[in-house]
Amino acid sequence: MPAIKFYSRDPLPMEMHKVKIVQKLNLLPAKERLAKMKEAGFNTFLLHNGDIFMDMLTDSGVNAMSDNMQSAMLRADDAYAGSETFYRMQDKLEEIFGIPYLLPTHQGRACEHILATHFVKPGNCVIMNYHFTTSKAHVTRLGGHVEELVKDEGLISKSNLPFKGNIDMDKVKACVEKEGADNIAYMRLEAGTNLIGGQPISYENMKEATEYAKANGIVTILDASLLQDNLYFIKTREESMKDKSIREITRMIADLFDIIYFSARKFGFGRGGGILVRDEKMFHEMEDYITMFEGFLTYGGMSVKEMEALIIGFEETMDLDVISQGPQFIDHCVRALDAHGIPMITPGGGLGAHIDARAVVSHIPAEQYPAGSLVAALYLCGGIRGMERGTLSEERNPDGSERIASVEMVRLAFPRRVFTLSQTEYVIDRVKWLYDHRDLIGGLRFVHEPKSLRFFTGRLEPVSDWPEKLVAAYEAEFGEDQ
């Protein structure tokens, strides 16, 4: 991305696109937001989108398509079997990653389902730099266990370390020695690490980890769902990569792994997913899972129109101008909030700006879900929908006690090419107001708790009347129509 200089002020992040299609937003008054939050069981996943002003829940499937992506959808080949659209997508992915075999799926967690089903047996260990909710759930569902071996520094909220998603090689070696290489189902590296603030992993760390795994006969898998942000950080933060193009870095990364999978709801700006397999025998061992769980091998549960759009989206991901906006907007938001004294996960990573909820609402006990409370409060005080990433997103221990998360965050996702800088400034303003009134925020407790992935559909209630008090303070500041 070119460094745009300003004559009269310090530089700002610049959108390297123009807006041609818009969607109207709706800002409900605070009292109405309180009513909607109660209806949703204080779970932002259960809010209706029409009741939200700024939807920063996720970047999954809500990114803006380019004009070229939308126009490409018109050429889709709707054949059930042998669709030319599939072969065009397969060719584009092989061009970018150098891996010949593609198993299409409807989204990323379908990839995780198939990979875990194929590789994980009861008692097996899966090594990760850090887990994602569904990647871990699929492993544990099959009787395996996950070892999260991110470096200790990756869990420090405030730092200036460029690659907090790096895996700790001393921990990896100790784990392999303890478990035995034959009991390691696979090593999964996530680029970047969703649940610790979208923090990236360096190329050199991926190279060291995969070389060690291969020397010990361990299958290596890359979760490339957030790869575009990680590519930007490798290009801008890793000294040895600064002269490489995004396309060159992508191929260098791909060459390290046996399997690469992705959610196209993130990588490619569309909706779908895929598993890229280097070995033909391994590919054929897994293809039956596609026809059983997803669809035929040339669509795999995906819309061919989306597949045509993704072909363009994959190519746009190789453009530094395209992939730089998200990280730069996130960095702007993180720096501004940090300057206000608000505890943030630093440095800014990919996917979104992450608030250190444990530090902001330190008066809320861990068992009352501090991040869940803070994310509900943010909707009440601005109509902004974020996502809890903490203890609420964990599953209980076998004895029923809470598994307290190592990090407790509120994520404010920045879908690609969606929000403007003025909307970002609104978010900064409302988070600052909420931080100054954080003592009004209280805890939550479950009234309906699913056994797994409870953060998606669980319902909660406040432990006191704190939401009413918070809304009253907000209305006193901004009026009843805000």
Side-chain angles (χ1 to χ4, degrees), residues 58-59 162-165 191-201 225-234 237 266 323-331 334 345-355 389 409-416:
T58 182
D59 65 337
F163 293 103
K164 291 166 69 174
T193 46
N194 190 315
L195 295 186
I196 58 172
Q199 297 296 320
I201 178 173
S225 300
L226 294 175
L227 181 62
Q228 66 172 32
D229 293 337
N230 211 111
L231 288 168
Y232 171 81
F233 291 123
I234 288 175
R237 295 181 182 177
K266 300 176 183 290
I323 66 173
S324 62
Q325 187 200 339
Q328 291 194 46
F329 267 55
I330 292 165
D331 180 67
V334 169
I345 306 300
T346 62
L351 203 164
H354 293 76
I355 304 169
R389 299 277 69 167
M409 304 180 302
V410 167
R411 184 180 80 196
L412 300 175
F414 277 78
R416 280 74 173 172

Side-chain angles (χ1 to χ4, degrees), residues 77 94 272 281 318 324 371:
D77 178 1
E94 184 176 4
K281 180 175 181 291
M318 298 295 101
S324 62

Side-chain angles (χ1 to χ4, degrees), residues 66-363:
S66 68
D67 52 352
N68 289 327
M69 290 179 70
Q70 292 199 28
S71 62
M73 296 170 81
L74 297 174
R75 73 181 296 217
D77 178 1
D78 286 323
Y80 179 90
S83 167
E84 294 299 335
T85 291
F86 169 80
Y87 294 112
R88 284 192 286 267
M89 186 173 82
Q90 181 174 252
D91 289 346
K92 174 56 66 176
L93 288 167
E94 184 176 4
E95 173 194 322
I96 291 172
F97 291 102
I99 299 177
Y101 301 107
L102 168 64
L103 298 168
T105 66
H106 76 276
Q107 65 180 81
R109 72 193 55 171
C111 302
E112 293 169 340
H113 169 220
I114 288 165
L115 291 169
T117 299
H118 182 66
F119 287 108
V120 177
K121 304 294 185 291
N124 278 174
C125 172
V126 173
I127 292 175
M128 302 184 185
N129 51 342
Y130 208 76
H131 81 282
F132 184 60
T133 50
T134 52
S135 64
K136 183 176 180 179
H138 281 298
V139 172
T140 57
R141 174 182 63 86
L142 294 166
H145 63 279
V146 169
E147 292 293 331
E148 297 172 326
L149 306 181
V150 70
K151 288 190 174 184
D152 292 343
E153 61 201 29
L155 302 179
I156 298 172
S157 298
K158 201 173 185 64
S159 79
N160 58 3
L161 296 169
F163 293 103
K164 291 166 69 174
N166 281 357
I167 198 165
D168 189 315
M169 288 307 301
D170 289 336
K171 293 180 183 178
V172 170
K173 293 171 185 177
C175 179
V176 173
E177 184 176 341
K178 174 187 172 185
E179 295 282 344
D182 291 343
N183 195 49
I184 309 293
Y186 51 84
M187 173 189 285
R188 169 191 172 272
L189 297 181
E190 187 177 23
T193 46
N194 190 315
L195 295 186
I196 58 172
Q199 297 296 320
I201 178 173
S202 70
Y203 170 77
E204 287 301 326
N205 186 249
M206 285 188 272
K207 185 172 185 288
E208 185 179 6
T210 53
E211 285 179 349
Y212 175 81
K214 289 179 182 180
N216 286 274
I218 299 169
V219 173
T220 57
I221 298 178
L222 174 68
D223 180 349
S225 300
L226 294 175
L227 181 62
Q228 66 172 32
D229 293 337
N230 211 111
L231 288 168
Y232 171 81
F233 291 123
I234 288 175
K235 169 74 175 174
T236 57
R237 295 181 182 177
E238 196 162 356
E239 191 62 36
S240 63
M241 294 289 152
K242 289 188 176 178
D243 293 331
K244 304 287 186 184
S245 70
I246 295 298
R247 194 179 296 273
E248 288 173 323
I249 296 169
T250 303
R251 178 57 70 87
M252 290 173 68
I253 291 171
D255 288 346
L256 302 176
F257 291 90
D258 299 309
I259 294 171
I260 296 175
Y261 78 90
F262 58 89
S263 167
R265 298 176 70 87
K266 300 176 183 290
F267 180 73
F269 312 106
R271 297 165 192 83
I275 305 171
L276 301 172
V277 186
R278 193 175 301 280
D279 179 75
E280 182 179 6
K281 180 175 181 291
M282 192 179 289
F283 166 78
H284 288 306
E285 288 172 348
M286 285 190 281
E287 63 185 351
D288 286 352
Y289 296 124
I290 301 298
T291 52
M292 184 180 298
F293 298 122
E294 297 294 303
F296 191 68
L297 289 170
T298 54
Y299 74 94
M302 298 173 65
S303 157
V304 288
K305 293 180 175 61
E306 293 276 354
M307 291 164 70
E308 285 288 358
L310 284 169
I311 295 168
I312 305 299
F314 297 142
E315 183 62 32
E316 290 179 355
T317 302
M318 298 295 101
D319 185 339
L320 185 59
D321 282 350
V322 172
I323 66 173
S324 62
Q325 187 200 339
Q328 291 194 46
F329 267 55
I330 292 165
D331 180 67
H332 174 79
C333 184
V334 169
R335 287 178 183 273
L337 290 171
D338 185 58
H340 284 308
I342 299 165
M344 302 296 295
I345 306 300
T346 62
L351 203 164
H354 293 76
I355 304 169
D356 184 352
R358 187 167 283 149
V360 172
V361 287
S362 57
H363 58 282

